[in-house]
Amino acid sequence: MSNPKIRYFDYAAATPMDPRVKAAMQPYFSDNYYNPSATYLLARSVKKDLEAARAAIAELLGAQRTEIIFTAGGTEANNLAVQGILRRFPGSNVVVSALEHESDLCPAELFEHRIALVLPSGIVDVGKLLKSIDDQTVLVSIMYANNEVGTVQPVKAIAQELEVIRRKRQAAGNKLPLYFHTDATQAAAYLDLHVSRLGVDLMTLNGGKIYGSKQSGLLFCSSSVNLLPLIFGGGQERNIRSGTENVAGAVGLAAALTLVQDRRHDESLRLRQLQELFVELLKKDLPTAIVNGSLRQRLPNNLHITIPGQDNERLLLELEAGGILAAAGSACSASNEEPSHVLRAMGLPDETARASLRFTTGFYTAEEDIRELVRLLREVTLKRED
Ligand code: PLP
């Protein structure tokens, strides 16, 4: 990484852009700056590149080209999914989990909504989720992996249950659809993204978390879903998302997604070993630390811990002074004064939440970084206990 003095443990908040992604994007800032909707040959060539990026992404997801809608990041894609469907069906409702990112929860709160509870392990309680679905539910939105505690949700199992409900509805003559959306922002570098294997109708992806650029992203939207646009104008993106296309962003997103999906098995294995080392060192050197959320159903790059009696804001400052950058919760919300809604949903008291830290690893994390992290954590924790 560019700054050798820094050990970075906040990959869930932002990833450095991969040089290959940067190289793929660069021409569209200078030589190939043309508006893809223009008619001359040079512009048509840019349009062709945009469509090639769309086709490459569609292939990775097992989707049709026309099912990929480019957006300015994950927040917009989540809003488009939730608002785009709920506004289409007045009087309907949406079910979201208590773990969702604010960009999914907040739009859901604009409509009739139900919050599906989660288990203390940080996994959605599927039984309770199914009970909260009624005849008017048109959308269920459950994230693929959580951004704070890294827990991986049973997306495939939920998709299968929803299919059963759809069939019952059909038999009863209920014509309302029941769509399934997943926010795969944090999962994209580690998990299978094939939409029909997952059984999802809509899926959010976010370039800024996979070594691409911030404000690049997409919503996969199955051709069976009739979405109402959020942004009206020139009719780009098949009239669903107007605005001159961010060609550099789309090309970069295709490059980033290809990169992370190509190496997801190897990288998952490598980071899983670092995660295990982290847990092992904690047990030895900082035995009071508690890991929050399931270790088994978890992304390989996340470790979220509570160190009882400690204040996470102070710990973060002391870690930073020692060259380590980490997070107290989600950096994705601008106001994080309140204890995390995710930890609350898992049943952690606010006091425990305030003694919790999130460490997320990535491409540039090495074993030595984990060893230094635990060494410094122990040092700053003991200092407080003295
Ligand atoms: N969804 C999840 C799971 C996230 O972690 C984030 C941001 O961290 C977002 C959505 C929103 O992404 P952005 O702020 O890049 O739009």
Side-chain angles (χ1 to χ4, degrees), residues 193-211:
L193 294 180
H194 197 279
V195 288
S196 46
R197 278 200 292 272
L198 285 172
V200 295
D201 304 297
L202 302 116
M203 182 166 74
T204 293
L205 289 172
N206 190 340
K209 314 289 184 180
I210 53 169
Y211 309 91

Side-chain angles (χ1 to χ4, degrees), residues 12 72-76 78 101 103 143 145 147 183 185-186 206 209 332:
T75 297
E76 188 191 326
N78 282 346
H101 188 263
S103 57
M143 69 199 326
N147 48 301
D183 174 359
T185 291
Q186 297 289 345
N206 190 340
K209 314 289 184 180
C332 319

Side-chain angles (χ1 to χ4, degrees), residues 59-77:
E59 189 169 343
L60 274 170
L61 306 187
Q64 305 292 318
R65 275 191 320 105
T66 50
E67 295 175 320
I68 307 298
I69 305 159
F70 288 116
T71 62
T75 297
E76 188 191 326

Side-chain angles (χ1 to χ4, degrees), residues 133 137-140 158-181 199-202 224-225:
I133 296 171
T137 306
V138 289
L139 178 67
V140 172
I158 294 169
Q160 282 162 10
E161 297 289 352
L162 295 185
E163 188 52 31
V164 174
I165 299 177
R166 280 185 201 115
R167 284 208 206 106
K168 281 189 191 153
R169 271 192 185 183
Q170 229 170 8
N174 180 347
K175 294 216 164 55
L176 271 186
L178 177 60
Y179 297 129
F180 186 25
H181 167 248
V200 295
D201 304 297
L202 302 116
S224 62
V225 178

Side-chain angles (χ1 to χ4, degrees), residues 124-135:
V124 172
D125 185 331
V126 179
K128 291 213 168 102
L129 162 72
L130 296 175
K131 282 204 184 102
S132 54
I133 296 171
D134 69 15
D135 286 350

